[in-house]
Every structure is written in structure tokens, then in C-alpha cells.
Amino acid sequence: QVQVVESGGGLVQPGGSLRLSCTVSKNLFDDYTVAWLRQAPGKEREFLAAISRNGDTTNYGDSVKGRFTISRDNARKTVYLQMNSLKVEDTAVYYCNAGGSYSSGTWYQSAYWGQGTQVFVFS
């Protein structure tokens, strides 16, 4: 009933930029809060950014504040993550989660995840 499709990952040099896209299909109640999270090898999954249904409220994890920007285009049913000033430590698999909620620094996940897209930052 709800499908999440990601794209935009790839290879980039330190200091470079990349934009990830997340398209969400829903058969009814076509509104959703969306978050981006990432997971590096051997690490816990880390919250990065969340955006409200109408796009007027955003929240960011400390590690990406000032570098990453989340936005959405509801007509296209797409949420974006613009990543600037990328660092080697940003290398991870990036995931999109639709329909969860953000509260007091914690992302409460839904069951609807994208497949994950690999971002590799190399020197």
C-alpha cells in the first residue's frame, strides 16, 4: 500500500555535494512525515533529518546541521536530501522512512523504508 523508492547515491570526493531523492506512493491519505537516516558498517542507524507533511518544519541531527538540507515537493511526492561539504565519515547507506514521527530528538520509525542508497566519499 505504501512504497518508498530512493535514488541519487554514488561516489563523491570530500567537499563535494550530492542530492538524494525519495519518492513515496500511498493509496489514501496522501500526506506523510519523512526522515532520512544512515548506517555505516558496524555502526548504529543514525537519524539525519526529518520534514513535516507540509514542509514547514524540519529537524536535523547534530552531525549534519549546516551541511545537509531536507525539502519536499508534494506534487511530485518526493522528498530530497541535499548534502554539501561531504566528509569521508559521511560514507554510509542512506535510508528514507515515510510515515514516522519526530519527538524530542528521536525519530519513531514506521514500517515503510526505502531500499537504501550507498554514498561513498573518498579522498
Side-chain angles (χ1 to χ4, degrees):
Q1 295 86 336
V2 179
Q3 295 181 330
V4 182
V5 180
E6 301 175 11
S7 62
L11 304 174
V12 65
Q13 295 184 357
S17 297
L18 206 60
R19 188 177 75 164
L20 307 182
S21 298
C22 172
T23 300
V24 181
S25 298
K26 196 175 183 180
N27 64 351
L28 196 61
F29 303 120
D30 193 19
D31 60 330
Y32 46 90
T33 302
V34 175
W36 286 96
L37 302 91
R38 70 185 179 189
Q39 188 165 23
K43 305 292 184 180
E44 297 290 331
R45 189 165 294 186
E46 177 188 15
F47 169 78
L48 301 175
I51 188 165
S52 62
R53 292 179 176 89
N54 62 6
D56 65 343
T57 302
T58 58
N59 296 279
Y60 294 94
D62 290 340
S63 65
V64 302
K65 288 180 179 177
R67 297 191 299 124
F68 292 8
T69 302
I70 189 170
S71 62
R72 68 189 300 159
D73 183 342
N74 285 354
R76 295 174 179 264
K77 301 182 184 296
T78 301
V79 174
Y80 304 96
L81 185 67
Q82 178 66 46
M83 305 186 295
N84 298 325
S85 302
L86 284 164
K87 307 173 181 179
V88 172
E89 53 263 43
D90 291 321
T91 296
V93 178
Y94 285 68
Y95 297 93
C96 180
N97 187 220
S101 62
Y102 181 89
S103 181
S104 300
T106 300
W107 174 254
Y108 295 90
Q109 67 181 44
S110 77
Y112 306 111
W113 293 89
Q115 76 283 0
T117 185
Q118 175 72 56
V119 172
F120 186 80
V121 185
F122 61 91
S123 300

